[in-house]
Every structure is written in C-alpha cells, then in structure tokens.
Amino acid sequence: MRQSLVPARRVVGAAGRGVPMVGFPRVPGVAPVAVARVQERMPAIAAIPADAHTHDFVALCYAERADATVCIDDRTWPLTDGDLLVVAPGQVVSFGERPEQLAIDGWVVWFPADAVRPGTTGAYASWRTHPLLFPFARGTDRAQRLNVPPPDRAAWSGRFAALDDELRARRDGHQDAALAHLTLLLVAAARLSTSVADQLRASDEPLLAAVFDFIEQRYHEPISLADVAAALSLTAGHLTTVVRRRTGRTVQQWIAQRRMQQARVLLTETSLTVAAISHRVGYPDVSYFIKRFRAEHAVTPAQWRAAGSRRQGPPPGQTDFSATATASTRRQRPAAPPPG
C-alpha cells in the first residue's frame, strides 16, 4: 500500500460496544486530506484499520478490481470491480474474519468534513449540510455503495492519482490544488448518487442535530455538558450516554473539537493574538487554551500559525509586513564608517 504523507491515525474515543473511534490527524500547513493506493491482498494498515472501528472523518473507497466483503453498521456489502464505497463519520466498519486477505486493488481517500467547508459549521454537522457530502449523510435511504460505469473507471483512477501526486509533491499552492481535486471527486460521487431530494428525505438523528446546533450557536461561550443537557431538557448522564454511543465522543469532546476547528481557522486566516483567539473560541483562560491546543495538535497555537505561514506565505491580498519591514530597515540603515 502506498499512502500520502500524513501522520499515523490515532484513536480519539470509543463508540457503542467499545468500538474504537479513529481521528484525523491535523498538521499545520498541510491540506487536511489523505489518500492511499491499496494493492491486491495487501493489508491496508495505515489507511483502513483491520478490526471493527469507526472514525470522525469521511471516507471514499474505490475498487478498481475487487472480490471482498465489507460490513458497515451491521450491514454486509460485497465489493466488485468499479464499486465506490462511501462511509460517513460514526459508522462502524469491519472487513470480516481475515482482513489481511482483502482482495482489493484501488484507492482510499479520507478527510474531515470541514476540509470541504472550512470554518462555516460544526465539524460533525457540516457533512450533513454540504451539497457535495449528501452521499455520506446518515439515513436509511442514503447510498452506501455506488458503481462506476466501465467507460468512466479510468477517469476515476486518474482523479485519485492526481490527488495523490499533489499531496506527495507539496508544491506551492498544494493545499488549494488538493482540495480542488477532492472537490472533483465529490462532484463525481454526487452525480453517481441519488438525487438531492432523496438525500434530504433521508432519516435523521433529531437529538444529535439538536446537540450540534446548540454547540454551533454557543461554542464561543464557556459552555459545559450541563448547559447542553439543560437546553435539551435531559439529564447530563443520559445525554452523555446517547452521544457517546451514537458518535464515539462525549459532548465535551465535541465542544472542544468545534473550538479547535475555529481556532485553526483564526490562527491561519487572521492576525489576532493567541489570547484574543482563546476568548473567541470559548476559553477565557489563555493558558488552558494553549494546553488544550497542544494536547490536540502536538504544537502550540503560535507554532501552528508559524508553520502555516512558512508553507503558505501571507494570505492573498496581504503583504508579509514583517519581511517588508526587515528589508526596508536593511536598505535604510547607513553604512558603517570605514575603519581608521
């Protein structure tokens, strides 16, 4: 298996029945999308955990050639040539008794939903509302397995290969280019899927929707589990049980994830101080914010911003004033008098 350059996956929680939840690792200055080439009868250890698992990101698995079986949420799906499997966050995935013998030759791409819709809605909710993510929306009527017509299969393989090349080369502007390739994949998947109207009629999770709506409206305030439970007229214990069972994370973890998502946007796209960002995302104590950010990303907020700046340069339409000032100072500094 060949995989684009992303850190190893990590377990961030557990869903119902103790199934581990895998999180998407964030790296400053690197596009939040990963792709892997899966070759026949090779264990896809980095891309696809062998045991039953769930994850907090969206995944597409395209089988150029396949003779395998995949189980998603207790439903078995046989995979054959040309199948495209779409998997939503929170679904439990397994590969039978001998996953090391999976006969799949194809591609896997995985990404957090906010990669497609950065900074606009909650991390869990955004994949439900984005038009290109309708094929992944939870609901009994949604498509899980699509089949690419034979005349189109070479083009599909080419899309994955182009994304893989962009992520590996990391040329200037690679983030924008990678997300453009990802968008083309999602457009193609949406065209294979059922109509938008059918997706909108798909069954939903009203309790989870209410939880994430509340988080979205109030994450910038110092809210707690008790606040969310009170707003929904539920006990904190019952809410914790339901949300953990359905999503693999606690309410507090979802609040923290939404705050971290917004913090990354503000660090990348604004010049606000770390203290100002801390207050904007619901952490009155900047020291605690830095501690939480470092625990989540293995770097401090300042290091995240610096790494992103080095990779991307100044935002479009803006000047790197620090570099300009330094150059200006050098030009204006009078020459030292000759010795003597």
Side-chain angles (χ1 to χ4, degrees):
M1 184 200 70
R2 190 183 74 205
Q3 179 177 331
S4 60
L5 305 177
V6 299
R9 56 188 172 84
R10 60 193 180 92
V11 175
V12 297
R17 295 175 290 180
V19 175
M21 168 170 275
V22 178
F24 191 96
R26 307 276 186 160
V27 178
V30 176
V33 56
V35 63
R37 182 79 168 94
V38 182
Q39 296 179 324
E40 188 172 3
R41 300 194 185 281
M42 287 184 63
I45 296 174
I48 311 174
D51 300 327
H53 66 281
T54 183
H55 44 71
D56 66 358
F57 46 83
V58 182
L60 289 79
C61 176
Y62 174 54
E64 294 174 331
R65 289 171 294 278
D67 181 13
T69 299
V70 177
C71 185
I72 300 178
D73 284 347
D74 298 322
R75 181 174 179 181
T76 299
W77 299 86
L79 292 184
T80 58
D81 295 0
D83 278 349
L84 176 71
L85 198 66
V86 293
V87 185
Q91 294 187 291
V92 178
V93 183
S94 61
F95 297 92
E97 296 180 356
R98 302 190 66 186
E100 73 279 1
Q101 294 299 315
L102 280 176
I104 298 177
D105 189 359
W107 294 89
V108 180
V109 61
W110 63 106
F111 56 94
D114 63 342
V116 182
R117 193 174 188 164
T120 56
T121 62
Y124 190 86
S126 62
W127 60 269
R128 295 169 172 271
T129 57
H130 194 285
L132 294 182
L133 298 182
F134 276 141
F136 309 95
R138 294 186 68 89
T140 55
D141 299 327
R142 75 187 183 282
Q144 282 277 30
R145 181 190 56 191
L146 309 168
N147 190 264
V148 178
D152 299 336
R153 292 175 184 174
W156 269 85
S157 297
R159 292 186 185 102
F160 283 97
L163 174 59
D164 181 57
D165 175 70
E166 199 63 56
L167 290 171
R168 286 177 170 279
R170 293 191 183 178
R171 297 174 285 264
D172 288 347
H174 90 279
Q175 292 199 69
D176 291 338
L179 295 179
H181 285 300
L182 176 61
T183 299
L184 290 175
L185 277 171
L186 294 175
V187 168
R191 289 173 177 172
L192 287 174
S193 186
T194 54
S195 70
V196 168
D198 288 339
Q199 296 293 342
L200 288 172
R201 285 194 292 267
S203 63
D204 205 347
E205 299 265 13
L207 176 57
L208 291 184
V211 169
F212 293 112
D213 283 344
F214 184 88
I215 293 173
E216 184 61 28
Q217 294 167 11
R218 304 276 299 277
Y219 73 88
H220 56 281
E221 303 172 16
I223 59 172
S224 65
L225 167 64
D227 296 320
V228 182
L232 302 180
S233 301
L234 297 172
T235 66
H238 176 67
L239 184 61
T240 296
T241 300
V242 172
V243 172
R244 183 191 286 275
R245 182 181 299 130
R246 301 279 183 83
T247 71
R249 289 185 176 181
T250 65
V251 173
Q252 295 98 319
Q253 287 174 318
W254 282 117
I255 294 172
Q257 176 164 324
R258 181 63 182 100
R259 288 169 170 168
M260 292 298 129
Q261 176 189 336
Q262 187 64 15
R264 291 191 299 268
V265 171
L266 294 175
L267 287 167
T268 303
E269 300 181 2
T270 77
S271 58
L272 291 171
T273 65
V274 171
I277 291 173
S278 174
H279 283 80
R280 286 202 180 192
V281 299
Y283 292 109
D285 184 342
V286 64
S287 297
Y288 181 68
F289 165 65
I290 294 172
K291 179 180 178 181
R292 291 299 303 268
F293 192 95
R294 187 166 194 165
E296 177 70 19
H297 303 93
V299 294
T300 66
Q303 290 169 330
W304 180 280
R305 169 175 277 167
S309 297
R310 286 195 299 270
R311 292 179 182 273
Q312 298 181 18
Q318 297 185 20
T319 303
D320 187 345
F321 291 108
S322 61
T324 302
T326 301
S328 177
T329 301
R330 288 172 179 168
R331 288 195 301 270
Q332 297 175 12
R333 183 178 298 152

